Amino acid sequence: MPVHLVEHPLVQDTLLVLRSVETSTDVFRRMATRISVLLAAEALRDLPTAPASVQSPIAVAHGRRVNADVVVVPVLRAGLGMLDAVLELIPAARVGHIGLQRDEMTAVASQYYAKFPANLDRSFVLMIDPMLATGGSAVAALEVLERAGARDVRIVCIVAAPEGIAVVERRFPDVRIYTPVIDEGLNDRKYIVPGLGDFGDRLYGTL
Ligand code: PRP
Ligand code: URA
């Protein structure tokens, strides 16, 4: 099952604040960070670990440390609103960037930028983009990552539409999608309903 619904109460509570038209830009930014921390933790639940020990003030404590190369790839520009949250969890993660812009009339995504760290084929790649609407941007980004050598890719989004999930599933059946919700669908302008509006515009105050 490629879609993982993240039903944690804090995720659901934060999602509703993001959806509200009353939410101001500063609160929207904070809530985007909060929900992204929770979603990324879920998406990285199966990260490999290795045994490790530390000396506590009382005795030696045995435990485990993350033992994986993680590459986070925000899809510009809205994905940048999730990046700090992921780096808070994995400060050593490397970061790639993909710039995509949906045409306002046709909703077709075109690429304007891509830059990745080396050895993507050996990395856990976490692609972050808050909105999965038609799926055009996600598929375009996944194709860029595929050409760059990425093998293990998972997507974290904040709102997904059934149309977008179906498109990604068809082209990339092995890519796992982590989302708090699958909304009703798209309107005639290809915005998610009920969605939360234009994520990038709300994040950066460019409405
Ligand atoms: C938004 C969003 C996704 C895309 C989703 O970006 O961040 O990348 O739309 O839509 P799709 O599934 O129909 O392709 P947008 O192109 O608006 O650019 P922005 O991040 O610069 O605001
Ligand atoms: N991009 C957004 O920011 N919101 C949508 O609803 C669809 C695409």
Side-chain angles (χ1 to χ4, degrees):
M1 179 66 177
V3 179
H4 292 246
L5 274 182
V6 184
E7 288 170 337
H8 194 293
L10 294 176
V11 168
Q12 296 300 324
D13 187 273
T14 310
L15 174 61
L16 210 57
V17 181
L18 286 167
R19 283 193 194 274
S20 171
V21 71
E22 311 274 324
T23 299
S24 60
T25 301
D26 60 329
V27 175
F28 190 90
R29 261 184 217 140
R30 286 211 305 279
M31 294 303 118
T33 298
R34 176 185 294 178
I35 202 168
S36 302
V37 168
L38 296 162
L39 293 170
E42 190 60 31
L44 296 171
R45 192 182 265 281
D46 60 339
L47 270 189
T49 56
S53 306
V54 295
Q55 176 71 48
S56 90
I58 312 296
V60 172
H62 303 289
R64 307 191 69 79
R65 280 196 199 280
V66 170
N67 184 28
D69 178 51
V70 177
V71 172
V72 192
V73 179
V75 177
L76 309 183
R77 121 196 104 136
L80 286 177
M82 305 172 75
L83 180 61
D84 286 350
V86 182
L87 293 180
E88 186 65 34
L89 288 178
I90 320 166
R94 299 183 296 153
V95 181
H97 293 87
I98 301 178
L100 290 174
Q101 175 77 61
R102 259 183 21 149
D103 182 290
E104 293 206 349
M105 304 304 290
T106 63
V108 174
S110 54
Q111 183 193 330
Y112 59 86
Y113 186 75
K115 182 129 185 147
F116 303 115
N119 305 322
L120 275 189
D121 54 324
R122 287 182 245 144
S123 308
F124 271 70
V125 178
L126 202 63
M127 189 178 113
I128 50 178
D129 188 343
M131 307 304 280
L132 179 56
T134 64
S137 302
V139 165
L142 289 166
E143 284 173 347
V144 176
L145 281 169
E146 185 178 58
R147 284 197 295 277
R151 294 215 189 108
D152 185 334
V153 185
R154 42 202 79 185
I155 303 177
V156 180
C157 59
I158 294 176
V159 182
E163 292 90 333
I165 289 172
V167 164
V168 172
E169 232 171 352
R170 206 172 312 124
R171 175 68 179 81
F172 291 97
D174 296 332
V175 169
R176 281 182 263 169
I177 301 168
Y178 292 82
T179 181
V181 72
I182 303 173
D183 268 7
E184 287 162 27
L186 302 174
N187 66 14
D188 54 0
R189 292 179 55 222
K190 310 291 185 202
Y191 275 85
I192 301 175
V193 180
L196 51 72
D198 189 304
F199 196 98
D201 282 345
R202 297 194 63 192
L203 184 71
Y204 293 116
T206 50
L207 275 169

